[in-house]
Amino acid sequence: MKSSKRETKRHLWPSVAPPLLTIDGIGTRPPGCWKMLTVAVCMAFLACLQAQELQGHVSIILLGATGDLAKKYLWQGLFQLYLDEVGKGYSFSFHGAALTSTKQGQELIAKVLESLSCPEDMEPGRCAELKGQFQRLSQYRHLKTNEDYMALSKDIEAQLQHEGLREAGRIFYFSVPPFAYADIARSINSSCRPGPGAWLRVVLEKPFGHDYVSAQQLATELGSFFQEEEMYRVDHYLGKQAVAQILPFRDQNRKALDGLWNRHHVERVEIIMKETVDAEGRTSFYEEYGVIRDVLQNHLTEVLTLVAMELPYNISSSKAVLQHKLQAFQALRGLQKGSAVLGQYQAYSRQVRREQQKPDSFYSLTPTFAGILVHVDNLRWEGVPFILMSGKALDERVGYIRILFRNQAYCAQNEKRWVVDQSQCLPRQIIFYIGHGELGSPAVLVSRNLFRPSLPSKSWKEVEGRPGLHLFGRPISDYYAYSPVREQDAYSVLISHIFHGRKDSFITTENLLASWVFWTPLLDSLAHEVPRLYPGGAENGYLLDFEFSGAQLRFCQQQLEQLVPGPGSAPMPSNFQVLTAKYRESPLISAWPEELISKLADDIEATAVRAVRRFGEFHLALSGGSSPVPLLEQLATGHFGFPWAQTHLWLVDERCVPLWDPESNFQGLQAHLLRYIRVPYYNIHPMPVHLHQRLCAEEDQGAQMYASEISALVTNSSFDLVLLGMGTDGHTASLFPQSPAGLDGTQPVVLTRSPYKPHQRMSLSLPLINRARKVAVLVMGRVKREITMLVSRAGHEPKKWPISGVLPSSGQLVWYMDYEAFLG
């Protein structure tokens, strides 16, 4: 279309103007020239109008038009698109679609359209006029079946024919859950594609999968219906003004940044998104995805690539930008378990139980806070730490990207005499401030002792002085600070980019899969990690501060044992890391989950070392279930001096399932410990629950066999250490209330029945457990608070509460409880 427009101009306007005639020294043209010029101007104007009309008609279909995202952002974004494009040669129609009934949908859409707003600088009369036009162009329709999509397509074609319009293209915005993508895509592809010569663009909202495999499956499914150039995967962070300015800023300041943007000058990069709100009302989503999948895998990783990627020669080339981002993904060093620290605000599990009707025994391991240490393995960034951090229920709402430069200067003069824009001893940093926080709006900040940056003056302006405002430890006057001339919502920016076919602000299939390749191994390794509990808000104090050394990340607060003086004077959890006290007349150690697990692992290793030194071997009996999982992983990855070669591993209890079954306690031991350590094969002793192709048959005498093995290998049948848990009903091992066997008598190993599936179990008996030199009971989670209180007051009543029968006859009993279980 553009070429035909140029050709029209070339024919209508002569390349050389006719010579001027002069009368009394005044230049004039022959009288006929004025007519020619008038005709030419009119024809050119008509040609422009015709060219604009030829731009064509665009139909925008918003799927999920009555949902929260649509009501909060998408309708406003579509209205902004209309305001920006009206009169530029396109005609529009907007279709809000959902599964809601037609009448209800029309009422909801009418309400949303009425609430739309214009930019502040628009004249009210003009705003009202354009808003009325947009409302008339917008309609609701019920879209569910293939026939509904076919009817929509026919209606669009009928409108085009009736109004004599040419179709430019169709945009389908998927503001619906990903499980609905495939059916909608199939219907669009078969029944609602535009005709020849018109384009199709489908817009997809995250989440784009749960891990690499699911993302690949979804990509393959969508790829069977749409071409890659037709798909626009939205990450709304790429539409935020400070984020969208990263590449232009790097491009416009190449001369100043070329020597600085590398490992020789950058100390570290921080990419941060903090929220004060919690996950209430969204726990079903959060339980499936968690903070890493919700924020870090997409938003913060996309930002990381914009900072770390090599800058293309032409940043206007979407293809070049996306290719360089892919290269940045491929240069990321693989993440290890030690690359992350995790937290969870205290009220989260309670919210999940309430919103999803979970039992009182449910305790979530989903992180609501994460700090991740990332390294980029290339010459530019070798050794530079990139810190990604996000969390809910934190002390402030803010987002920023901070590039902190090394300070290798020493200033001989006193700090009072330093000149702000000259002293090299002041911190040197560049900050892309996404919004909220102390500043309250998007901004780009550059330390004055670095350089005066260049930003586009039409869209960015210098921030006026704000005395008393400090950012990142320095007054605002220490920075060259710029903010947008007009703040724009991220979705409005991205909808404009979709309309204009700009792909660089969106996630390609290749880049999406590269991101999941990077994140999936870490997510798998953290699946059973116990996050550190934090109270939320300003009460978090220093609990979530973390530090890094090499490739390892860890919380700053280390273990600090304090003795509780007596009843009623116990300090609050925020005052200490580990406390020691008494529980049922036995030693109690209580801490936040991570410190508790670390303390227990240290104690087990110390017991093992002493046993090997005295007897040459260490016999450890472990309970199954989910509680010991973080302990096993801690032992596997953080205790390299553990005497595994001299350790015998026994099971306290076992479910009557084959050993390879995921429900098997031995399988859990294999998955979380044995695969990482070197224990002699003959030192591993699974319970014989599967004999003669039968499970726990009395006649196979599996319990007697295990008892004989213990008697033959363990001196006096006294384990060096037995690790137990405590159920919400007071059971321990697989000894349940009113159990007919195992609570007394002489049988060392017994078959029992559980009220929970799988019902058949094998367990060490209480008399055998009480022969151990040391018994550790691990109790974690707020759901254990009630049973903890009950048992604290109970006497020796194993029939009612089997755990109350645990009391080593000549050994030591130690309780390990996290604060949730101990203090509630």
Side-chain angles (χ1 to χ4, degrees), residues 793-808:
R793 298 192 291 265
H796 182 81
E797 300 180 71
K799 286 283 184 185
K800 192 171 183 181
W801 293 297
I803 190 69
S804 71
V806 176
L807 190 61

Side-chain angles (χ1 to χ4, degrees), residues 802-816:
I803 190 69
S804 71
V806 176
L807 190 61
S809 51
S810 57
Q812 182 188 33
L813 170 62
V814 181
W815 297 84
Y816 293 80

Side-chain angles (χ1 to χ4, degrees), residues 435-603:
H436 305 290
E438 292 289 326
L439 198 52
S441 62
V444 176
L445 308 166
V446 179
S447 293
R448 288 180 178 271
N449 57 350
L450 269 174
F451 60 89
R452 176 180 279 277
S454 171
L455 280 91
S457 58
K458 287 185 179 179
S459 52
W460 290 80
K461 63 182 180 183
E462 283 206 59
V463 174
E464 296 175 4
R466 292 172 59 180
L469 177 62
H470 281 64
L471 292 170
F472 306 98
R474 301 304 306 170
I476 191 73
S477 57
D478 276 15
Y479 302 96
Y480 295 112
Y482 298 82
S483 64
V485 171
R486 179 163 69 96
E487 283 192 45
Q488 291 178 284
D489 171 67
Y491 280 99
S492 297
V493 172
L494 293 176
I495 286 171
S496 175
H497 289 182
I498 294 161
F499 177 75
H500 291 288
R502 280 187 52 183
K503 291 281 288 184
D504 54 311
S505 299
F506 301 90
I507 316 301
T508 64
T509 300
E510 201 171 16
N511 283 1
L512 171 69
L513 296 179
S515 176
W516 277 119
V517 164
F518 175 66
W519 283 103
T520 298
L522 177 70
L523 287 164
D524 289 345
S525 72
L526 296 175
H528 300 289
E529 189 78 1
V530 178
R532 169 178 284 195
L533 291 174
Y534 59 96
E539 298 303 313
N540 295 336
Y542 303 112
L543 266 179
L544 298 178
D545 292 353
F546 54 85
E547 59 190 7
F548 52 88
S549 174
Q552 296 291 306
L553 208 59
R554 60 178 177 270
F555 284 117
C556 295
Q557 286 199 355
Q558 301 301 312
Q559 296 174 13
L560 174 63
E561 293 196 6
Q562 295 189 15
L563 185 65
V564 179
S569 58
M572 292 302 293
S574 56
N575 300 134
F576 46 71
Q577 288 311 115
V578 176
L579 65 86
T580 58
K582 291 280 186 179
Y583 179 79
R584 289 182 57 84
E585 305 304 318
S586 294
L588 165 71
I589 293 173
S590 189
W592 297 107
E594 183 158 319
E595 282 76 17
L596 184 70
I597 292 296
S598 183
K599 172 66 175 170
L600 177 53
D602 287 344
D603 288 353

Side-chain angles (χ1 to χ4, degrees), residues 357-429:
Q357 288 79 52
K358 298 280 188 182
D360 290 344
S361 59
F362 176 82
Y363 185 83
S364 174
L365 294 180
T366 300
T368 61
F369 168 89
I372 309 289
L373 179 62
V374 178
H375 284 93
V376 183
D377 283 336
N378 59 25
L379 286 175
R380 180 181 292 278
W381 297 112
E382 183 185 3
V384 177
F386 284 72
I387 299 162
L388 278 57
M389 187 270 275
S390 183
K392 290 189 174 293
L394 300 182
D395 61 322
E396 63 174 337
R397 182 186 184 191
V398 70
Y400 60 84
I401 303 101
R402 181 184 182 217
I403 297 94
L404 183 65
F405 293 88
R406 298 184 192 280
N407 195 336
Q408 297 171 321
Y410 171 76
C411 296
Q413 280 194 312
N414 185 288
E415 184 179 351
K416 294 176 184 176
R417 296 186 176 86
W418 291 353
V419 180
V420 168
D421 56 357
Q422 294 176 9
S423 174
Q424 292 303 303
C425 289
L426 286 167
R428 300 189 300 160
Q429 47 198 335

